[in-house]
């Protein structure tokens, strides 16, 4: 990205995804979120002497699915390593991770930017265990440590430095989240820490091949904060370089209150971790049959579903992108169409009134009081001209409140649209008789005056008249007078 100051932005992301297993990666402790502190712990995950890790097969399967879904080459001969560092929330003094033989390498994810597809390379996908969680007292007097999260299985997805703007970073993260959700690999709940992101960002003069000095933004908890934090870093590093300064290699955090980043610590180099093979785990061998089985279990992925919505249903790319960004929404749309709704109408209602209602009440699509068949029923009533679109919006609000279907509500509230010309003509004649100024304006060439007459007719019928038919009949009646 040109910043307007002859610098190009280079961004790479490291995404940690908590795997959806019932037990930890090397022991039988539960992974339940929100348990009382230090209740889901045992000698293995606390690293007591004499204990041995036992690998969770389901964690390996989920990691393999992630690697396959991200178009990675799977290392069928893989292994675990010890990554040595000391933090209070890491009781063993090392983390079991993967170094030179990760589960997957050399993959990619495609994002849509400005109507065009862009491929972001994925360097590696590797398995590792999570650390515990430290909570620091506000007055700085003490720190509390919860080891429940210790040993929870993670995959780390490391991208190539192919991302050029904060917007691309957000789109990439949204793509990762959607794939993890579609494949049922993770809950991907950022608010619970099951999806976390660190971002490396640097600037270099446009045309220069060598990377500039990078900084790392750590543990951002929302896509919006990732985008905002990166925007701030672009400005901060640009100012440093324009002033002839040098960007320091350091880890920073994003402050939501000030919308700025602040120094956390200087960055360790990779060799500081003193990796060596984990001696308590045998090498991990993944045979062909296992891989074939897992590949067959992969569902239709977001990109493929987006393409299907465009090709099979004729949806605009924007609609297809919104609908497939969330698995439950995509499934809901498919179900509405399967129930007989015209696809574009279904897309409009879901992206408009349905999601607005749910978002205002912090509900998911799965919690919608209006199911797919009910929404398809409402759309059918519009297509049959039983109600207008304006009336349909009112009916939908009643559906949300009562759970009743559209046909019942229309019948009970007498909302059927008046599409009988013989019933509308007397009303229109009365409106024409009472609005001579509008009639005169229209007949003198002021076509906008027609709207006032239509509006008066709709008011007289309490919004029940068919607007198209009213428009047609008024023009006919006025032409008879000219």
């Amino acid at each position: 990205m040109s910043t307007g100051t002859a610098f190009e932005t280079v961004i790479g992301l490291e995404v940690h995804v908590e795997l959806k297993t019932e037990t930890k990666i090397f022991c039988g402790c539960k992974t339940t979120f929100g348990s009382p502190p230090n209740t889901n712990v045992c000698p293995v995950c606390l690293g007591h002497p004499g204990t041995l890790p036992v690998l969770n097969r389901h964690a390996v399967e989920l990691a393999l699915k992630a690697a396959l879904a991200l178009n990675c080459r799977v290392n069928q001969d893989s292994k675990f390593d010890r990554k040595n560092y000391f933090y209070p929330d890491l009781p063993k003094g090392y983390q079991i991770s993967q170094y030179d033989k990760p589960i997957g390498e050399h993959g990619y994810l495609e994002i849509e930017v400005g109507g065009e597809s862009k491929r972001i390379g994925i360097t590696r996908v590797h398995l590792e265990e999570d650390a515990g969680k430290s909570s620091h007292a506000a007055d700085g007097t003490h720190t509390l440590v919860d080891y429940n999260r210790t040993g929870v299985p993670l995959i780390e997805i490391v991208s190539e430095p192919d991302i050029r703007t904060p917007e691309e970073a957000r789109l990439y993260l949204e793509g990762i989240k959607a794939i993890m959700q579609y494949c049922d690999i993770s809950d991907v709940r950022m608010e619970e820490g099951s999806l976390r992101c660190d971002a490396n960002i640097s600037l270099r003069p446009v045309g220069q091949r060598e990377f500039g000095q990078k900084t790392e933004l750590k543990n951002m908890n929302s896509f919006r904060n990732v985008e905002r934090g990166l925007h701030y870093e672009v400005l901060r590093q640009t100012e440093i370089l324009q002033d002839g300064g040098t960007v320091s290699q350091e880890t920073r955090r994003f402050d939501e209150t000030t919308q700025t980043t602040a120094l956390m610590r200087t960055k360790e180099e990779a060799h500081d971790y003193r990796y060596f093979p984990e001696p308590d785990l045998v090498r991990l061998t993944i045979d062909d049959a296992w891989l074939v089985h897992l590949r067959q279990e992969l569902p239709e992925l977001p990109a493929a579903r987006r393409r299907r919505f465009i090709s099979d249903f004729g949806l605009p790319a924007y609609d297809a992108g919104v609908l497939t960004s969330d698995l439950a929404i995509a499934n809901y749309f498919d179900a509405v169409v399967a129930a007989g709704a015209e696809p574009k109408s279904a897309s409009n209602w879901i992206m408009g009134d349905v999601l607005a209602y749910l978002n205002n009440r912090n509900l998911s699509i799965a919690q919608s009081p209006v199911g797919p068949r009910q929404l398809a029923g409402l759309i059918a009533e519009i297509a049959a001209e039983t109600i207008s679109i304006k009336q349909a919006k009112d009916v939908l609000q009643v559906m949300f409140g009562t759970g009743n279907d559209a046909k019942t509500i229309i019948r009970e509230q007498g909302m059927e649209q008046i599409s009988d010309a013989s019933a509308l003509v007397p009303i229109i004649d009365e409106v024409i008789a009472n609005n001579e100024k509008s009639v005169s304006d229209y007949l003198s060439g002021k076509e906008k005056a027609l709207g006032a007459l239509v509006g008066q007719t709709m008011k007289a019928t309490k919004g029940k008249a068919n607007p198209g038919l009213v428009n047609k009949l008024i023009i006919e009646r006025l032409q008879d007078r000219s």
Side-chain angles (χ1 to χ4, degrees):
M1 177 189 76
S2 171
T3 61
T5 54
F7 291 110
E8 180 184 51
T9 304
V10 178
I11 299 170
L13 298 181
E14 298 172 5
V15 181
H16 283 95
V17 178
E18 191 176 297
L19 300 179
K20 200 173 177 180
T21 59
E22 291 187 1
T23 56
K24 296 183 180 181
I25 187 169
F26 299 124
C27 66
C29 290
K30 295 290 184 185
T31 55
T32 312
F33 178 81
S35 297
N38 297 310
T39 53
N40 295 331
V41 295
C42 73
V44 173
C45 57
L46 291 177
H48 288 188
T51 60
L52 291 172
V54 177
L55 183 59
N56 183 332
R57 180 184 174 91
H58 189 44
V60 177
E61 288 178 339
L62 295 178
L64 284 169
K65 280 188 177 181
L68 293 171
L70 292 170
N71 306 293
C72 288
R73 185 192 73 193
V74 170
N75 282 318
Q76 292 183 252
D77 175 26
S78 185
K79 70 181 180 66
F80 289 92
D81 302 275
R82 288 189 182 182
K83 180 181 180 182
N84 297 277
Y85 62 100
F86 178 76
Y87 281 151
D89 55 13
L90 189 68
K92 290 187 292 205
Y94 62 86
Q95 177 187 31
I96 300 179
S97 181
Q98 294 190 296
Y99 183 51
D100 57 338
K101 289 286 186 181
I103 284 280
E105 295 179 283
H106 311 304
Y108 65 87
L109 173 71
E110 291 187 345
I111 60 173
E112 297 289 326
V113 185
E116 296 185 1
S117 181
K118 178 176 179 178
R119 182 172 291 189
I120 307 296
I122 291 175
T123 312
R124 56 189 282 139
V125 175
H126 68 253
L127 260 171
E128 62 186 23
E129 61 179 338
D130 207 347
K133 182 178 181 181
S134 298
S135 300
H136 308 289
D139 60 4
T141 58
H142 61 278
T143 295
L144 301 174
V145 184
D146 179 5
Y147 291 117
N148 279 348
R149 206 173 65 181
T150 304
V152 168
L154 302 175
I155 52 171
E156 182 173 347
I157 304 168
V158 182
S159 84
E160 293 288 311
D162 294 339
I163 300 168
R164 291 291 171 269
T165 69
E167 181 196 12
E168 288 182 11
R170 176 180 54 77
L171 292 170
Y172 170 84
L173 284 173
E174 289 174 353
I176 292 285
K177 179 180 179 182
I179 287 176
M180 297 301 113
Q181 187 185 49
Y182 273 58
C183 296
D184 204 23
I185 290 168
S186 171
D187 290 331
V188 288
R189 294 173 180 156
M190 292 191 85
E191 70 278 10
E192 294 181 3
S194 57
L195 180 69
R196 288 168 271 166
C197 174
D198 303 334
N200 292 304
I201 174 170
S202 64
L203 267 60
R204 64 183 174 187
V206 173
Q208 177 179 300
R209 294 191 62 183
E210 295 76 19
F211 294 138
Q213 186 63 272
K214 67 183 179 184
T215 61
E216 180 184 41
L217 293 182
K218 198 76 174 170
N219 286 337
M220 287 170 286
N221 60 1
S222 75
F223 294 155
R224 177 176 293 185
N225 283 350
V226 171
E227 196 169 6
R228 288 175 174 173
L230 289 171
H231 270 300
Y232 180 80
E233 272 301 290
V234 171
L235 295 174
R236 189 185 73 85
Q237 293 188 22
T238 298
E239 288 180 2
I240 291 173
L241 295 173
Q242 285 181 329
D243 291 343
T246 303
V247 175
S248 301
Q249 182 176 351
E250 58 193 26
T251 300
R252 302 178 69 85
R253 64 177 175 82
F254 178 67
D255 188 323
E256 283 188 73
T257 306
T258 61
Q259 299 287 298
T260 61
T261 66
L263 176 67
M264 288 176 65
R265 59 177 182 269
T266 56
K267 177 65 178 172
E268 303 94 336
E269 296 289 348
H271 62 255
D272 287 341
Y273 293 126
R274 304 183 310 281
Y275 281 100
F276 66 86
E278 166 58 55
D280 292 334
L281 288 168
V282 298
R283 293 183 79 90
L284 177 59
T285 301
I286 301 154
D287 61 36
D288 292 340
W290 197 10
L291 267 187
V292 169
H293 173 71
L294 292 174
R295 195 182 293 278
Q296 290 172 341
E297 283 194 341
L298 289 180
E300 180 185 37
L301 295 174
R305 203 165 201 181
R306 190 164 54 245
R307 289 192 291 270
R308 176 167 65 81
F309 283 3
I310 293 171
S311 62
D312 290 7
F313 300 141
L315 293 186
Y318 175 79
D319 291 34
V322 172
L323 294 171
T324 57
S325 64
D326 182 279
L327 175 61
I329 294 174
N331 288 341
Y332 187 93
F333 170 78
D334 262 334
V336 174
V337 173
E342 192 278 320
K344 181 54 180 161
S345 295
S347 171
N348 290 343
W349 281 99
I350 292 170
M351 293 197 305
D353 293 64
V354 173
L355 289 183
Y357 175 88
L358 297 175
N359 290 338
N360 288 338
R361 289 156 182 79
N362 200 26
L363 297 174
S364 69
I365 194 83
Q367 297 170 302
S368 172
V370 176
R373 285 190 172 278
Q374 289 175 298
L375 183 60
L378 176 70
I379 295 171
E381 297 296 338
I382 301 167
E385 297 190 344
T386 308
I387 53 174
S388 65
I389 291 179
K390 182 178 182 306
Q391 288 176 304
K393 289 178 177 290
D394 295 335
V395 172
L396 183 61
Q397 293 306 312
V398 179
M399 292 170 73
F400 282 131
T402 64
N404 291 336
D405 59 40
K407 190 179 288 294
T408 301
I409 294 167
I410 293 167
R411 185 184 65 249
E412 289 180 349
Q413 301 197 9
M415 297 176 72
E416 291 90 347
Q417 185 168 253
I418 303 172
S419 297
D420 181 351
S422 63
L424 289 173
V425 165
I427 300 171
I428 288 171
D429 285 345
E430 186 175 350
V431 167
I432 289 175
N434 294 333
N435 292 275
E436 282 299 329
K437 175 75 169 52
S438 295
V439 172
S440 174
D441 287 346
Y442 179 78
L443 293 177
S444 63
K446 296 178 181 177
E447 294 188 358
K448 287 186 178 178
L450 181 65
L453 299 171
V454 173
Q456 288 297 320
T457 306
M458 296 303 294
K459 183 179 179 181
T461 59
K462 298 180 180 177
K464 294 167 66 175
N466 182 324
L469 182 58
V470 167
N471 210 67
K472 174 175 174 290
L473 292 174
I474 290 177
I475 291 173
E476 288 176 356
R477 304 299 282 178
L478 292 178
Q479 285 174 341
D480 289 343
R481 297 180 54 157
S482 62

